[in-house]
Amino acid sequence: QVQLVQSGGGLVQAGGSLRLSCVGSGRTFRSAPMGWFRQTPGKEREFVARISWSGISTYYEDSVKGRFTISRDNAKNTVYLQMNSLKPEDTAVYYCIALDTSNEPLGSWGQGTQVTVSS
């Protein structure tokens, strides 16, 4: 099972940028698709972006297309989420997670990282 530790996030003004990192342990990390999700109070956790195990294929939720970039470095067991042109509605706790072959969350979530975008 992949264990995940997140870093990055914080407070930024609208239009700014942040990068989230997620370091995985375990032999399965390099063979697992990875995803980023986010959650705001009172709402369900929602999909943001995912990346294939090789890093070749990526997919984004419509509201972040063109602004967010997911990438990974398997040599470092790390997946990233570069967030540009941030908007107040991007404010949420962000989570990384391994995905199964159906792109459904698999195993344990990262601990979560708060991203706050001020207007």
Side-chain angles (χ1 to χ4, degrees):
Q1 183 172 340
V2 178
Q3 306 296 320
L4 303 168
V5 177
Q6 298 178 218
S7 62
L11 173 64
V12 65
Q13 289 187 332
S17 298
L18 287 172
R19 188 176 80 159
L20 307 182
S21 300
C22 175
V23 180
S25 63
R27 292 181 293 176
T28 58
F29 177 87
R30 299 181 183 184
S31 62
M34 295 294 297
W36 286 97
F37 289 71
R38 64 188 179 187
Q39 189 171 23
T40 55
K43 294 187 177 181
E44 293 188 356
R45 201 165 294 184
E46 65 175 10
F47 168 79
V48 175
R50 66 173 181 257
I51 188 167
S52 61
W53 70 269
S54 65
I56 293 175
S57 177
T58 59
Y59 184 80
Y60 299 91
E61 191 270 328
D62 285 347
S63 70
V64 308
K65 284 181 181 176
R67 300 189 298 120
F68 290 12
T69 302
I70 188 171
S71 63
R72 68 190 298 164
D73 184 341
N74 284 343
K76 296 181 179 180
N77 276 15
T78 303
V79 62
Y80 304 97
L81 185 67
Q82 177 67 43
M83 305 182 291
N84 298 329
S85 302
L86 282 161
K87 304 176 180 180
E89 51 263 44
D90 295 318
T91 295
V93 178
Y94 285 71
Y95 299 88
C96 61
I97 183 78
L99 303 174
D100 64 17
T101 55
S102 297
N103 292 317
E104 293 295 322
L106 177 68
S108 300
W109 295 88
Q111 81 274 21
T113 302
Q114 177 69 47
V115 171
T116 303
V117 184
S118 63
S119 58

